[in-house]
Amino acid sequence: MQNTPPSQNTIHPGRVRSFLVVLVIIFLIFVFQLFRLQILSGSEFIERMEDQRTEILNIPTARGNIYDRNGIELAGNIPSYDIVIIPAELPDDEGEIQEIFRSLSALTGVPINLGEISPENPYNPCVSQHGINQIALEYGQTTSPFRPVPIQCDVSEEVAMVVQERGVDWPGVEIQVNSIREYPTGRTTAALVGFLGPIPAAFEEFYTDLGFVARRDKVGYAGVELFFQEELGGRNGEREVEVDVAGLVLRDIKPPVPPEPGYNLHLTIDTRLQEVSTAIVEQELNFWNTFLGRTLSNNAVVIAMNPQTGEILAMVTVPTYENNRFARIIPGYYYEQLAEDPLRPLFNHAISAEHPPGSVFKLATALGALNEGVVTPEQVIETPGLITILEKTTPADPGRPREFVDWIYDGGDNPGGFGQLDFRGGISNSSNVYFYKLAGGYRDEVPDGGLGVCRLKTYSEALGYGSASGIELPGEEVGLLPDPRWKRINRGEIWTIGDMYNAGVGQGYVLSTPLQVLLSAATIANDGVLMKPTIVREITDEENRIKQPFTPQVIHDLTVDPVIKEYIQYVSGSGQCQETGVTKTVQPWVIDAIQNGMRRAVTHGTLVDEFEGFDIAAAGKTGTAEYCDNFAQEKNLCDPGNWPTHAWTVAYAPFDNPEIVVVAFVYNGGEGASVAGPIAQRVLDAYFQFRSVDAVGGP
């Protein structure tokens, strides 16, 4: 057997060449990959590296404050102290860390261990329930160890001082100062001011585009906090910084963009009048509930306005809520309690509740009837306690008798009603029969169908009914001014004379908000000028420079602006009101006549008892409106022929130069003059007392 010499190469040359080819291919692959990564995709990876190296930090801004007309703060910002842990700054020794956590737990009551952080149970700062270990170590160290993570939020100032004093002994534990909303006047102005809440998920993209941070920043949820979110919210600032892999900020890459504070809002509200009006409403409700031995009502509204400028001086809605309870978070149990309350305390009843206005609506009927020549101021109308008409529900219907009674008719004790009334007497006594005849006509006494539904609608609209006023509050409703077309579509029936009678006295299908009732009376008080209601006096910046001054806005002047539409008188069965294209104004003497009728209501009519001893000349109108809504039906209050009633009163003073007009509404309050009348009178009295104090420079 021969042995191959050790130095002899036994590898076949072809295998060597194949190996070299493979090496070359592998080398070329690496070269190609290097070329692709550094040349072709280099800019992309550089951009990714920059994204990982740089970060945009959002700097929260300060929300603007809200004040009343006298500078009293209604909403402001106060410091809130959060205990936070910076995981990267904790000691290296595990024993020292746990000793700090034990001391911190004893101080705050937060357990050292509680729950596991998971997708099903995520960590949510200030909301979720987790232990200190889970928050600081499981969450903080694994996400961004140099970022503070809250352990407990909104602690007392005393606890915050203890943490700061122990700072040397507790490395990594700090106090972070945030800003939260405070409402010094609380429930008194909650319906107006509103409250803040976290950015809703449905609007997260919208607010993110504006520079807000979800799950940190708060936005308006109700009231002017919502309506003026853009002005109050300001704009957050930002820092573009360089960070390391652990999230530690190394330096600013660009000069920081400072935050822009929100503007301050100065409302037209007088907090003194707001507080007193709230007390008056609650006292009157408590009186009647106690006097009757049952709950008459726990739902009422008072609005006071300067009819010459449109400034809302007070807006009270009962029941209401405590918006300070929403300062840090919105407690689920409290919100659910409010949401399920049938009286709807979260609801601004002054602008959003729609009710039959009853006799306060007669001002619209009076305006139209007198301006259209349906009646003259001196014309005497017979007003018995009861009248009977022939009502048809279809064109072919032979008709059936239907009785309509006056409010003082009780079935026999006063069958004569008011007797003979002229225009002033009709208003001051609020005679239903008088206004039935004016609205829908009656035989030869008020021929041609009276004012009619189409003309009633246009005069009602001229006084502010049937449309939103544009007040700076969310949720304003428009009410309902029915007409033949509406009834045909929604009820499948034709418009009848009975419908006309009911509409003429603010009943039937007519609905309005308390604000609309107020505007109707304010227009009459202001000689036919309808002012846009406003709750904003001015808007200022952080240095108190005026950015938006107050300018009263006239919607229209009935005696100058041709806003009254002329209609072809509605004919039964046609189904709609036909305009002629002609418009007209209201004669000034018509406004004067209605004012005199309202003045007589205080001196000789429905409000004489309530305003006895009130030494300032006032004028007013009462209303007792029958209703049968879902709430009344659930309580079995809708007794046929004896429906429950709401109480209304609207009044203004001084008569010759009105400074204030007030509407008082009490849900299920019964008779308007006796229940709502005293509220309106007392609010007027309070206003003039405050004015006297201000005139002499008193407190």
Side-chain angles (χ1 to χ4, degrees):
M1 180 177 181
Q2 284 185 327
N3 293 325
T4 303
S7 61
Q8 186 176 356
N9 185 3
T10 60
I11 300 175
H12 193 277
R15 296 178 65 184
V16 173
R17 286 193 296 270
S18 298
F19 179 73
L20 291 175
V21 169
V22 171
L23 285 179
V24 170
I25 292 173
I26 293 174
F27 177 76
L28 290 175
I29 290 174
F30 275 104
V31 170
F32 175 75
Q33 283 291 85
L34 189 62
F35 177 79
R36 185 181 67 85
L37 293 175
Q38 293 203 8
I39 305 300
L40 299 180
S41 302
S43 59
E44 178 184 348
F45 284 100
I46 291 174
E47 185 177 345
R48 289 185 185 181
M49 182 190 68
E50 288 296 327
D51 288 342
Q52 293 175 352
R53 186 177 67 88
T54 63
E55 186 173 344
I56 303 297
L57 300 181
N58 190 283
I59 307 172
T61 187
R63 192 173 180 87
N65 295 337
I66 303 174
Y67 303 95
D68 83 339
R69 66 188 300 114
N70 298 313
I72 296 175
E73 188 177 272
L74 308 180
N77 305 307
I78 59 172
S80 171
Y81 305 100
D82 296 348
I83 301 176
V84 300
I85 288 180
I86 303 175
E89 296 182 3
L90 290 170
D92 295 330
D93 183 73
E94 179 65 25
E96 292 183 32
I97 292 176
Q98 293 304 315
E99 180 62 30
I100 293 174
F101 287 0
R102 281 192 291 271
S103 300
L104 196 56
S105 177
L107 176 66
T108 63
V110 178
I112 296 176
N113 290 288
L114 178 64
E116 294 292 331
I117 296 177
S118 65
E120 295 75 25
N121 185 26
Y123 169 67
N124 191 352
C126 305
V127 177
S128 60
Q129 299 293 319
H130 292 98
I132 300 176
N133 269 324
Q134 285 71 39
I135 297 173
L137 302 182
E138 291 184 19
Y139 176 81
Q141 283 188 344
T142 59
T143 54
S144 186
F146 285 96
R147 298 294 169 81
V149 287
I151 297 298
Q152 190 175 56
C153 298
D154 199 22
V155 300
S156 66
E157 187 175 358
E158 291 76 13
V159 171
M161 291 178 65
V162 171
V163 174
Q164 288 180 319
E165 290 172 358
R166 300 291 299 274
V168 176
D169 302 324
W170 294 351
V173 181
E174 297 182 356
I175 290 296
Q176 189 175 68
V177 182
N178 298 314
S179 177
I180 63 172
R181 209 63 162 162
E182 181 188 45
Y183 302 103
T185 50
R187 62 186 295 274
T188 302
T189 56
L192 280 169
V193 175
F195 60 95
L196 303 181
I199 294 175
F203 299 101
E204 185 171 322
E205 182 178 353
F206 170 78
Y207 282 109
T208 300
D209 291 342
L210 294 177
F212 291 94
V213 178
R215 290 171 291 280
R216 185 198 72 181
D217 294 333
K218 294 187 176 182
V219 296
Y221 267 47
V224 295
E225 290 275 38
L226 170 59
F227 195 92
F228 288 97
Q229 167 61 35
E230 182 177 352
E231 290 80 1
L232 291 167
R235 183 172 292 276
N236 289 340
E238 64 178 34
R239 290 175 61 196
E240 185 174 355
V241 297
E242 181 181 353
V243 297
D244 65 12
V245 69
L248 176 65
V249 175
L250 302 177
R251 65 185 180 89
D252 283 306
I253 296 176
K254 296 179 181 179
V257 178
E260 299 177 11
Y263 288 153
N264 297 320
L265 203 60
H266 300 258
L267 303 186
T268 59
I269 299 297
D270 187 328
T271 302
R272 301 170 303 175
L273 188 63
Q274 180 81 8
E275 291 176 342
V276 169
S277 299
T278 301
I280 290 171
V281 169
E282 293 176 345
Q283 289 170 8
E284 290 292 336
L285 292 181
N286 182 65
F287 167 78
W288 284 106
N289 292 341
T290 303
F291 177 76
L292 296 174
R294 60 179 175 85
T295 301
L296 175 70
S297 178
N298 287 315
N299 183 354
V301 169
V302 165
I303 316 174
M305 185 180 83
N306 183 333
Q308 299 183 38
T309 63
E311 295 171 276
I312 299 295
L313 306 175
M315 181 179 284
V316 175
T317 172
V318 175
T320 185
Y321 61 96
E322 178 52 69
N323 52 0
N324 275 309
R325 298 186 67 174
F326 300 145
R328 164 62 71 178
I329 61 172
I330 299 179
Y333 73 93
Y334 183 55
Y335 187 85
E336 184 177 349
Q337 173 187 330
L338 295 174
E340 293 180 354
D341 191 329
L343 296 180
R344 306 173 75 180
L346 288 172
F347 197 63
N348 188 339
H349 294 265
I351 63 169
S352 301
E354 297 171 302
H355 302 289
S359 293
V360 288
F361 188 78
K362 292 173 182 175
L363 297 179
T365 306
L367 181 71
L370 201 57
N371 200 59
E372 294 291 333
V374 174
V375 69
T376 65
E378 298 79 18
Q379 182 178 346
V380 172
I381 301 294
E382 294 290 339
T383 57
L386 178 147
I387 59 174
T388 303
I389 61 170
L390 189 66
E391 185 169 51
K392 298 182 179 182
T393 57
T394 66
D397 187 358
R400 62 180 179 85
R402 183 176 177 183
E403 295 181 343
F404 284 83
V405 299
D406 218 319
W407 64 267
I408 63 169
Y409 180 74
D410 58 11
D413 290 344
N414 193 5
F418 286 103
Q420 295 183 331
L421 292 176
D422 61 8
F423 186 77
R424 284 200 311 164
I427 294 177
S428 61
N429 291 288
S430 194
S431 169
N432 288 339
V433 169
Y434 182 88
F435 283 96
Y436 290 150
K437 294 181 176 181
L438 263 58
Y442 187 76
R443 300 176 181 172
D444 294 333
E445 188 175 17
V446 182
D448 301 325
L451 180 63
V453 60
C454 303
R455 293 191 293 186
L456 175 61
K457 185 174 183 179
T458 190
Y459 280 94
S460 303
E461 291 171 340
L463 290 179
Y465 289 104
S467 62
S469 68
I471 192 170
E472 304 94 340
L473 286 170
E476 183 182 11
E477 294 293 341
V478 300
L480 174 62
L481 293 176
D483 59 20
R485 180 179 178 81
W486 176 90
K487 189 182 180 189
R488 182 176 289 276
I489 292 173
N490 292 275
R491 299 290 178 174
E493 300 173 350
I494 68 169
W495 188 263
T496 68
I497 188 173
D499 294 325
M500 191 64 246
Y501 274 22
N502 283 328
V505 296
Q507 294 281 183
Y509 306 113
V510 178
L511 295 174
S512 67
T513 66
L515 179 61
Q516 289 174 332
V517 173
L518 177 81
L519 293 179
S520 69
T523 305
I524 298 298
N526 199 32
D527 297 330
V529 180
L530 174 58
M531 303 297 299
K532 179 183 180 297
T534 180
I535 59 169
V536 180
R537 189 166 182 83
E538 62 187 19
I539 298 176
T540 62
D541 63 13
E542 70 277 11
E543 296 181 3
N544 207 34
R545 293 173 297 197
I546 296 177
K547 310 303 291 185
Q548 179 181 309
F550 173 66
T551 304
Q553 297 183 38
V554 176
I555 295 179
H556 53 237
D557 184 342
L558 299 183
T559 64
V560 175
D561 302 322
V563 297
I564 305 298
K565 301 174 185 177
E566 185 177 274
Y567 289 94
I568 298 173
Q569 183 72 325
Y570 167 70
V571 179
S572 178
S574 68
Q576 62 182 358
C577 296
Q578 300 179 29
E579 297 182 29
T580 65
V582 177
T583 55
K584 64 182 74 172
T585 62
V586 173
Q587 299 301 311
W589 63 266
V590 173
I591 304 292
D592 292 340
I594 299 174
Q595 291 173 343
N596 290 328
M598 295 177 70
R599 172 62 180 153
R600 187 171 177 81
V602 170
T603 60
H604 296 85
T606 55
L607 285 170
V608 63
D609 293 335
E610 285 66 30
F611 278 79
E612 183 178 3
F614 189 68
D615 57 3
I616 297 174
K621 182 74 190 72
T622 59
T624 305
E626 292 184 339
Y627 76 99
C628 184
D629 58 15
N630 294 337
F631 189 70
Q633 292 172 4
E634 291 173 1
K635 290 184 170 292
N636 297 317
L637 298 177
C638 297
D639 183 15
N642 189 29
W643 279 6
T645 56
H646 300 316
W648 292 90
T649 292
V650 64
Y652 66 87
F655 176 68
D656 293 329
N657 185 28
E659 298 177 19
I660 180 174
V661 56
V662 175
V663 63
F665 167 79
V666 178
Y667 184 95
N668 193 50
E671 205 275 323
S674 60
V675 178
I679 296 176
Q681 186 272 333
R682 291 181 63 188
V683 172
L684 287 175
D685 186 52
Y687 167 81
F688 287 106
Q689 288 192 44
F690 288 134
R691 196 190 66 167
S692 298
V693 170
D694 292 341
V696 297

